[in-house]
Coordinates of all heavy atoms in Angstrom, one line a residue:
M1 N 109.5 74.5 90.5 CA 110.4 75.0 91.6 C 110.1 74.2 92.9 O 109.0 74.0 93.2 CB 110.0 76.5 91.8 CG 110.7 77.1 93.0 SD 110.2 78.8 93.3 CE 110.7 79.7 91.9
N2 N 111.1 73.9 93.5 CA 111.0 73.2 94.8 C 111.6 74.1 95.9 O 112.6 74.7 95.6 CB 111.8 71.9 94.8 CG 111.1 70.8 93.9 OD1 109.9 70.8 93.8 ND2 111.9 70.1 93.2
I3 N 111.0 74.1 97.0 CA 111.4 75.0 98.1 C 111.6 74.1 99.3 O 110.7 73.3 99.7 CB 110.4 76.0 98.5 CG1 110.2 77.0 97.3 CG2 110.9 76.9 99.7 CD1 109.1 78.0 97.4
S4 N 112.8 74.2 99.9 CA 113.1 73.4 101.1 C 112.8 74.3 102.4 O 113.3 75.4 102.4 CB 114.5 72.9 101.2 OG 114.8 72.1 100.1
L5 N 112.1 73.7 103.3 CA 111.8 74.5 104.6 C 112.2 73.6 105.7 O 112.0 72.4 105.8 CB 110.2 74.7 104.6 CG 109.6 75.6 103.5 CD1 108.1 75.6 103.7 CD2 110.2 77.0 103.6
P6 N 112.6 74.3 106.8 CA 112.9 73.6 108.0 C 111.5 73.1 108.6 O 110.5 73.6 108.2 CB 113.5 74.6 109.0 CG 113.5 75.9 108.3 CD 113.0 75.7 106.9
E7 N 111.6 72.1 109.4 CA 110.4 71.4 110.0 C 109.4 72.5 110.6 O 108.2 72.3 110.4 CB 110.7 70.3 111.0 CG 111.0 69.0 110.4 CD 109.9 68.5 109.4 OE1 108.8 68.5 109.8 OE2 110.3 68.1 108.3
G8 N 109.9 73.4 111.3 CA 109.0 74.4 111.9 C 108.2 75.2 110.9 O 107.0 75.4 111.1
L9 N 108.9 75.6 109.9 CA 108.2 76.4 108.8 C 107.2 75.5 108.1 O 106.1 75.9 107.7 CB 109.1 77.1 107.9 CG 109.9 78.3 108.5 CD1 110.9 78.8 107.4 CD2 109.0 79.3 108.9
K10 N 107.7 74.3 107.8 CA 106.8 73.3 107.1 C 105.5 73.0 107.9 O 104.4 73.0 107.3 CB 107.5 72.0 106.8 CG 106.7 71.0 106.0 CD 107.5 69.7 105.8 CE 106.7 68.7 105.0 NZ 105.3 68.6 105.3
G11 N 105.7 72.8 109.2 CA 104.5 72.7 110.0 C 103.6 73.8 110.0 O 102.4 73.7 110.0
F12 N 104.2 75.0 110.0 CA 103.3 76.3 110.0 C 102.6 76.3 108.7 O 101.4 76.6 108.7 CB 104.2 77.5 110.1 CG 103.4 78.8 110.0 CD1 102.7 79.2 111.1 CD2 103.4 79.5 108.8 CE1 102.0 80.4 111.0 CE2 102.7 80.7 108.7 CZ 102.0 81.1 109.8
V13 N 103.2 76.1 107.5 CA 102.6 76.1 106.2 C 101.5 75.0 106.2 O 100.4 75.3 105.7 CB 103.6 75.8 105.1 CG1 102.9 75.6 103.8 CG2 104.5 77.0 105.0
D14 N 101.8 73.8 106.7 CA 100.7 72.8 106.7 C 99.5 73.2 107.5 O 98.4 72.9 107.1 CB 101.3 71.4 107.2 CG 102.3 70.8 106.3 OD1 102.3 71.2 105.0 OD2 103.1 70.0 106.7
Q15 N 99.8 73.8 108.7 CA 98.7 74.3 109.5 C 97.8 75.4 108.8 O 96.6 75.3 108.8 CB 99.2 74.9 110.8 CG 98.2 75.4 111.7 CD 98.8 76.0 113.0 OE1 100.0 76.4 113.0 NE2 98.0 76.2 114.0
Q16 N 98.5 76.3 108.1 CA 97.8 77.3 107.3 C 96.9 76.7 106.2 O 95.8 77.2 106.0 CB 98.8 78.3 106.8 CG 99.5 79.1 107.8 CD 98.6 79.9 108.8 OE1 97.8 80.6 108.4 NE2 98.7 79.5 110.1
V17 N 97.5 75.7 105.5 CA 96.8 75.1 104.5 C 95.5 74.5 105.0 O 94.4 74.6 104.4 CB 97.7 74.1 103.7 CG1 96.9 73.2 102.8 CG2 98.8 74.8 103.0
S18 N 95.6 73.7 106.1 CA 94.5 73.0 106.6 C 93.4 74.0 107.3 O 92.2 73.8 107.1 CB 94.8 71.9 107.5 OG 95.5 72.4 108.7
S19 N 93.9 75.0 108.0 CA 93.0 75.8 108.7 C 92.4 77.0 107.9 O 91.3 77.5 108.3 CB 93.7 76.4 110.0 OG 94.7 77.3 109.6
R20 N 93.0 77.3 106.8 CA 92.5 78.5 106.0 C 92.0 78.1 104.7 O 91.6 79.0 103.9 CB 93.7 79.5 105.9 CG 94.1 80.1 107.3 CD 95.2 81.0 107.2 NE 94.9 82.2 106.4 CZ 95.9 83.1 106.1 NH1 97.1 82.9 106.4 NH2 95.5 84.1 105.4
G21 N 91.8 76.8 104.4 CA 91.1 76.4 103.3 C 91.9 76.4 102.0 O 91.3 76.3 100.9
Y22 N 93.2 76.3 102.1 CA 94.0 76.2 100.8 C 94.0 74.8 100.4 O 93.9 73.9 101.3 CB 95.4 76.7 101.0 CG 95.5 78.2 101.3 CD1 95.6 78.7 102.6 CD2 95.5 79.1 100.2 CE1 95.7 80.0 102.8 CE2 95.5 80.4 100.5 CZ 95.7 80.9 101.8 OH 95.7 82.3 102.0
S23 N 94.1 74.5 99.1 CA 94.1 73.1 98.7 C 95.5 72.5 98.7 O 95.6 71.3 98.6 CB 93.5 73.1 97.2 OG 94.3 73.8 96.3
S24 N 96.5 73.3 98.7 CA 97.8 72.8 98.8 C 98.8 73.9 99.3 O 98.5 75.1 99.4 CB 98.3 72.4 97.4 OG 98.5 73.6 96.6
S25 N 100.0 73.4 99.7 CA 101.0 74.4 100.1 C 101.4 75.3 99.0 O 101.7 76.5 99.2 CB 102.2 73.6 100.7 OG 102.8 72.8 99.8
S26 N 101.4 74.9 97.8 CA 101.7 75.7 96.6 C 100.7 76.8 96.5 O 101.1 78.0 96.2 CB 101.7 74.9 95.3 OG 102.8 73.9 95.3
E27 N 99.4 76.5 96.7 CA 98.4 77.6 96.6 C 98.7 78.6 97.7 O 98.6 79.9 97.5 CB 97.0 77.0 96.8 CG 95.9 78.0 96.7 CD 94.5 77.4 96.9 OE1 94.4 76.2 97.1 OE2 93.6 78.2 96.8
Y28 N 99.0 78.2 98.9 CA 99.3 79.1 100.0 C 100.5 80.0 99.7 O 100.5 81.2 99.8 CB 99.6 78.3 101.3 CG 100.0 79.2 102.5 CD1 99.1 80.0 103.1 CD2 101.3 79.1 103.0 CE1 99.5 80.8 104.2 CE2 101.7 79.8 104.1 CZ 100.8 80.7 104.7 OH 101.1 81.5 105.7
V29 N 101.6 79.4 99.2 CA 102.8 80.2 98.8 C 102.5 81.2 97.7 O 102.9 82.3 97.7 CB 104.0 79.3 98.4 CG1 105.1 80.0 97.8 CG2 104.4 78.5 99.7
R30 N 101.7 80.7 96.7 CA 101.3 81.6 95.6 C 100.6 82.8 96.1 O 100.8 84.0 95.7 CB 100.5 80.9 94.6 CG 101.2 80.0 93.6 CD 100.4 79.6 92.5 NE 99.3 78.7 92.9 CZ 99.4 77.4 93.0 NH1 100.5 76.8 92.7 NH2 98.3 76.7 93.3
E31 N 99.6 82.6 97.1 CA 98.9 83.7 97.7 C 99.8 84.7 98.4 O 99.7 85.9 98.4 CB 97.8 83.2 98.6 CG 97.0 84.2 99.3 CD 96.0 84.9 98.4 OE1 95.8 84.5 97.3 OE2 95.6 86.0 98.8
L32 N 100.8 84.1 99.2 CA 101.7 85.0 99.8 C 102.5 85.8 98.8 O 102.8 87.0 99.1 CB 102.7 84.1 100.7 CG 102.1 83.5 101.9 CD1 103.2 82.6 102.6 CD2 101.6 84.4 102.9
I33 N 102.9 85.3 97.7 CA 103.7 86.0 96.7 C 102.8 87.1 96.1 O 103.3 88.2 95.9 CB 104.2 85.0 95.7 CG1 105.3 84.1 96.3 CG2 104.8 85.8 94.5 CD1 105.7 83.0 95.4
R34 N 101.6 86.8 95.8 CA 100.6 87.8 95.3 C 100.5 89.0 96.2 O 100.5 90.1 95.8 CB 99.3 87.2 94.9 CG 99.3 86.4 93.7 CD 97.9 85.9 93.3 NE 98.0 84.8 92.4 CZ 97.8 83.5 92.8 NH1 97.4 83.2 94.0 NH2 97.9 82.6 91.9
K35 N 100.3 88.6 97.5 CA 100.2 89.7 98.5 C 101.4 90.5 98.6 O 101.3 91.8 98.8 CB 99.8 89.1 99.9 CG 98.4 88.6 99.9 CD 98.0 88.0 101.3 CE 96.6 87.6 101.4 NZ 96.2 87.0 102.7
D36 N 102.5 89.9 98.5 CA 103.8 90.7 98.6 C 103.9 91.6 97.4 O 104.4 92.7 97.4 CB 105.0 89.7 98.7 CG 106.3 90.4 99.0 OD1 106.2 91.3 99.9 OD2 107.3 90.1 98.5
Q37 N 103.5 91.1 96.2 CA 103.5 91.9 95.0 C 102.6 93.1 95.2 O 103.0 94.3 94.8 CB 103.1 91.1 93.8 CG 104.1 90.1 93.3 CD 103.6 89.3 92.1 OE1 102.4 88.9 92.1 NE2 104.4 89.0 91.2
D38 N 101.4 92.9 95.7 CA 100.5 94.0 96.0 C 101.1 95.0 96.9 O 101.0 96.3 96.8 CB 99.2 93.5 96.5 CG 98.4 92.7 95.5 OD1 98.7 92.8 94.2 OD2 97.4 92.0 95.9
R39 N 101.7 94.6 98.0 CA 102.3 95.5 99.0 C 103.4 96.3 98.4 O 103.6 97.5 98.6 CB 102.9 94.7 100.2 CG 101.9 94.3 101.2 CD 102.5 93.8 102.5 NE 103.2 92.5 102.3 CZ 102.7 91.3 102.4 NH1 101.4 91.3 102.7 NH2 103.4 90.2 102.2
Q40 N 104.3 95.7 97.5 CA 105.3 96.4 96.9 C 104.8 97.4 95.9 O 105.3 98.6 95.8 CB 106.3 95.4 96.2 CG 107.2 94.6 97.1 CD 108.2 93.7 96.4 OE1 108.5 94.0 95.2 NE2 108.6 92.7 97.1
A41 N 103.8 97.1 95.2 CA 103.1 98.0 94.2 C 102.5 99.2 95.0 O 102.7 100.4 94.6 CB 102.1 97.3 93.4
L42 N 101.8 98.9 96.1 CA 101.3 100.0 96.9 C 102.4 100.9 97.5 O 102.2 102.1 97.5 CB 100.4 99.4 98.1 CG 99.8 100.4 99.0 CD1 98.9 101.4 98.3 CD2 99.0 99.7 100.1
R43 N 103.5 100.3 98.0 CA 104.6 101.1 98.5 C 105.1 102.0 97.5 O 105.4 103.1 97.7 CB 105.7 100.1 99.0 CG 106.8 100.9 99.7 CD 107.8 99.8 100.3 NE 108.8 100.5 101.2 CZ 109.9 101.1 100.7 NH1 110.2 101.1 99.5 NH2 110.7 101.7 101.6
G44 N 105.3 101.5 96.3 CA 105.8 102.3 95.1 C 104.9 103.5 94.9 O 105.3 104.6 94.6
L45 N 103.5 103.2 94.9 CA 102.6 104.3 94.6 C 102.6 105.4 95.8 O 102.6 106.6 95.5 CB 101.2 103.8 94.5 CG 100.9 102.9 93.3 CD1 99.5 102.3 93.4 CD2 101.0 103.8 92.0
L46 N 102.8 104.9 97.0 CA 102.9 105.8 98.1 C 104.1 106.6 98.1 O 104.1 107.9 98.3 CB 102.8 105.0 99.5 CG 101.5 104.4 99.8 CD1 101.6 103.5 101.0 CD2 100.4 105.5 100.1
L47 N 105.3 106.0 97.7 CA 106.5 106.8 97.6 C 106.4 107.8 96.4 O 106.9 108.9 96.6 CB 107.7 105.8 97.4 CG 108.0 105.0 98.6 CD1 109.1 104.0 98.3 CD2 108.5 105.9 99.7
E48 N 105.8 107.4 95.3 CA 105.6 108.3 94.2 C 104.8 109.5 94.6 O 105.1 110.6 94.2 CB 105.0 107.5 93.1 CG 104.8 108.3 91.8 CD 104.1 107.5 90.7 OE1 104.4 106.3 90.6 OE2 103.3 108.1 90.0
G49 N 103.7 109.2 95.3 CA 102.8 110.3 95.8 C 103.5 111.2 96.7 O 103.3 112.4 96.7
A50 N 104.3 110.6 97.6 CA 105.0 111.5 98.6 C 106.0 112.3 98.0 O 106.3 113.4 98.5 CB 105.7 110.5 99.7
A51 N 106.6 111.9 96.9 CA 107.6 112.7 96.2 C 107.0 113.7 95.2 O 107.7 114.6 94.8 CB 108.5 111.8 95.4
S52 N 105.7 113.7 94.9 CA 105.1 114.6 94.0 C 104.7 115.8 94.7 O 104.4 115.8 96.0 CB 103.9 113.9 93.3 OG 102.9 113.7 94.2
P53 N 104.6 116.9 94.0 CA 104.2 118.2 94.7 C 102.7 118.1 95.0 O 101.9 117.4 94.3 CB 104.4 119.3 93.6 CG 104.5 118.5 92.3 CD 105.0 117.1 92.6
P54 N 102.2 118.7 96.0 CA 100.8 118.7 96.3 C 99.9 119.3 95.2 O 100.3 120.4 94.7 CB 100.6 119.5 97.6 CG 101.9 120.2 97.8 CD 102.9 119.6 97.0
A55 N 98.9 118.7 94.8 CA 98.0 119.2 93.8 C 97.0 120.3 94.3 O 96.7 121.2 93.6 CB 97.3 118.1 93.1
V56 N 96.5 120.0 95.5 CA 95.5 120.9 96.1 C 95.7 120.8 97.6 O 96.0 119.7 98.1 CB 94.1 120.5 95.6 CG1 93.7 119.2 96.1 CG2 93.1 121.6 96.1
T57 N 95.4 121.8 98.3 CA 95.5 121.8 99.8 C 94.2 121.2 100.3 O 93.1 121.5 100.0 CB 95.6 123.3 100.3 OG1 96.8 123.8 99.8 CG2 95.7 123.2 101.8
A58 N 94.4 120.1 101.1 CA 93.2 119.4 101.7 C 92.9 120.1 103.0 O 93.1 119.6 104.1 CB 93.6 118.0 101.9
D59 N 92.2 121.3 102.9 CA 91.8 122.0 104.1 C 90.3 121.9 104.3 O 89.6 121.1 103.5 CB 92.2 123.4 104.1 CG 91.7 124.2 102.8 OD1 90.9 123.6 102.1 OD2 92.2 125.3 102.6
A60 N 89.7 122.6 105.2 CA 88.3 122.5 105.5 C 87.5 122.9 104.2 O 86.4 122.2 103.9 CB 87.9 123.3 106.7
E61 N 87.9 123.9 103.6 CA 87.2 124.3 102.4 C 87.2 123.2 101.3 O 86.2 123.0 100.6 CB 87.9 125.6 101.8 CG 87.1 126.2 100.6 CD 87.8 127.5 100.1 OE1 88.3 128.3 101.0 OE2 87.8 127.7 98.9
Y62 N 88.3 122.6 101.1 CA 88.4 121.5 100.2 C 87.4 120.4 100.5 O 86.6 119.9 99.6 CB 89.8 120.9 100.2 CG 89.9 119.5 99.4 CD1 90.1 119.5 98.1 CD2 89.9 118.3 100.1 CE1 90.2 118.3 97.4 CE2 90.0 117.1 99.5 CZ 90.1 117.1 98.1 OH 90.2 115.9 97.4
F63 N 87.3 120.0 101.8 CA 86.3 118.9 102.1 C 84.9 119.4 102.0 O 84.0 118.6 101.7 CB 86.6 118.4 103.5 CG 87.8 117.5 103.5 CD1 89.1 118.0 104.0 CD2 87.8 116.2 103.0 CE1 90.2 117.2 104.0 CE2 88.9 115.5 103.0 CZ 90.1 115.9 103.5
D64 N 84.6 120.7 102.2 CA 83.3 121.2 102.0 C 82.9 121.1 100.6 O 81.8 120.7 100.3 CB 83.2 122.7 102.5 CG 83.3 122.9 104.0 OD1 83.0 121.9 104.7 OD2 83.6 124.0 104.5
R65 N 83.8 121.5 99.7 CA 83.5 121.4 98.3 C 83.3 119.9 97.8 O 82.4 119.6 97.1 CB 84.6 122.0 97.4 CG 84.7 123.5 97.5 CD 85.7 124.1 96.4 NE 87.0 123.4 96.4 CZ 88.0 123.8 97.0 NH1 88.0 124.9 97.8 NH2 89.2 123.1 96.9
L66 N 84.1 119.0 98.4 CA 83.9 117.6 98.1 C 82.6 117.1 98.6 O 81.9 116.4 97.9 CB 85.0 116.8 98.8 CG 85.1 115.3 98.5 CD1 85.3 115.1 97.0 CD2 86.3 114.7 99.2
R67 N 82.2 117.5 99.8 CA 80.8 117.1 100.3 C 79.7 117.6 99.4 O 78.7 116.9 99.1 CB 80.6 117.6 101.7 CG 81.4 116.8 102.7 CD 81.1 117.3 104.2 NE 82.0 116.8 105.1 CZ 83.1 117.5 105.5 NH1 83.4 118.8 105.1 NH2 84.0 117.0 106.3
D68 N 79.8 118.9 98.9 CA 78.9 119.5 98.0 C 78.7 118.7 96.7 O 77.6 118.4 96.2 CB 79.2 120.9 97.7 CG 79.0 121.8 98.9 OD1 78.3 121.4 99.9 OD2 79.6 123.0 98.9
R69 N 79.9 118.3 96.2 CA 79.9 117.5 95.0 C 79.2 116.1 95.2 O 78.4 115.7 94.3 CB 81.3 117.2 94.5 CG 81.9 118.5 93.8 CD 83.3 118.3 93.4 NE 83.6 117.1 92.8 CZ 84.8 116.5 92.7 NH1 85.9 117.1 93.3 NH2 85.0 115.4 92.1
V70 N 79.4 115.5 96.3 CA 78.7 114.2 96.6 C 77.2 114.4 96.7 O 76.5 113.6 96.2 CB 79.3 113.6 97.9 CG1 78.5 112.4 98.4 CG2 80.8 113.2 97.7
R71 N 76.8 115.5 97.5 CA 75.4 115.7 97.6 C 74.7 116.0 96.3 O 73.6 115.5 96.0 CB 75.2 116.9 98.5 CG 75.4 116.7 100.0 CD 75.1 117.9 100.9 NE 75.7 117.7 102.1 CZ 76.7 118.4 102.6 NH1 77.3 119.4 101.9 NH2 77.2 118.1 103.8
E72 N 75.4 116.7 95.4 CA 74.8 117.0 94.0 C 74.7 115.7 93.2 O 73.8 115.5 92.5 CB 75.7 118.0 93.3 CG 75.6 119.4 93.9 CD 76.7 120.4 93.2 OE1 77.2 120.0 92.2 OE2 76.8 121.5 93.8
A73 N 75.7 114.9 93.3 CA 75.7 113.6 92.6 C 74.5 112.7 93.1 O 74.0 112.0 92.3 CB 77.0 112.9 92.7
R74 N 74.3 112.7 94.4 CA 73.2 111.9 94.9 C 71.8 112.4 94.4 O 70.9 111.6 94.2 CB 73.1 112.0 96.4 CG 74.1 111.1 97.1 CD 73.8 111.1 98.6 NE 75.0 110.7 99.3 CZ 75.1 110.9 100.6 NH1 74.2 111.5 101.3 NH2 76.2 110.6 101.2
Q75 N 71.7 113.7 94.2 CA 70.4 114.3 93.8 C 70.1 114.0 92.3 O 68.9 114.1 91.9 CB 70.4 115.8 94.1 CG 70.4 116.1 95.5 CD 70.5 117.6 95.8 OE1 70.7 118.4 94.9 NE2 70.4 118.0 97.1
R76 N 71.0 113.6 91.6 CA 70.8 113.4 90.1 C 70.1 112.1 89.9 O 70.0 111.1 90.5 CB 72.1 113.4 89.4 CG 72.7 114.8 89.3 CD 74.0 114.7 88.5 NE 74.8 115.9 88.9 CZ 76.0 116.0 88.7 NH1 76.7 115.1 88.1 NH2 76.7 117.1 89.1

């Protein structure tokens, strides 16, 4: 796959490659694509969670129980 970039973007990519330790512009672009995939996956999970009914109320009592469980786990 070949990608054409205007000079301004090409210069930016070249600068990122040299200053951030990438071995090539292809490596830099691959990293950008991976990060975008991760962001999209996270967004999907957040939207899925927002659309789901609450499983438990996260009130003071909930956090007290959670702290107790952590303390008990440390003592084991």
Side-chain angles (χ1 to χ4, degrees):
M1 172 186 295
N2 292 321
I3 299 173
S4 298
L5 298 174
E7 274 307 310
L9 288 178
K10 184 182 180 316
F12 177 80
V13 169
D14 291 342
Q15 179 186 18
Q16 296 304 302
V17 168
S18 64
S19 68
R20 295 176 64 191
Y22 293 100
S23 61
S24 68
S25 57
S26 292
E27 183 183 0
Y28 176 68
V29 170
R30 282 192 297 270
E31 179 68 16
L32 291 176
I33 292 169
R34 285 187 199 101
K35 286 181 179 181
D36 193 41
Q37 286 176 324
D38 290 345
R39 278 191 295 272
Q40 287 183 23
L42 178 58
R43 184 176 191 277
L45 291 171
L46 290 171
L47 290 172
E48 182 182 323
S52 68
V56 66
T57 302
D59 56 8
E61 184 178 323
Y62 168 82
F63 286 104
D64 288 340
R65 288 192 312 267
L66 186 59
R67 285 184 197 96
D68 290 342
R69 286 177 40 205
V70 170
R71 286 184 195 110
E72 289 172 14
R74 279 191 204 163
Q75 292 174 356
R76 292 183 199 160

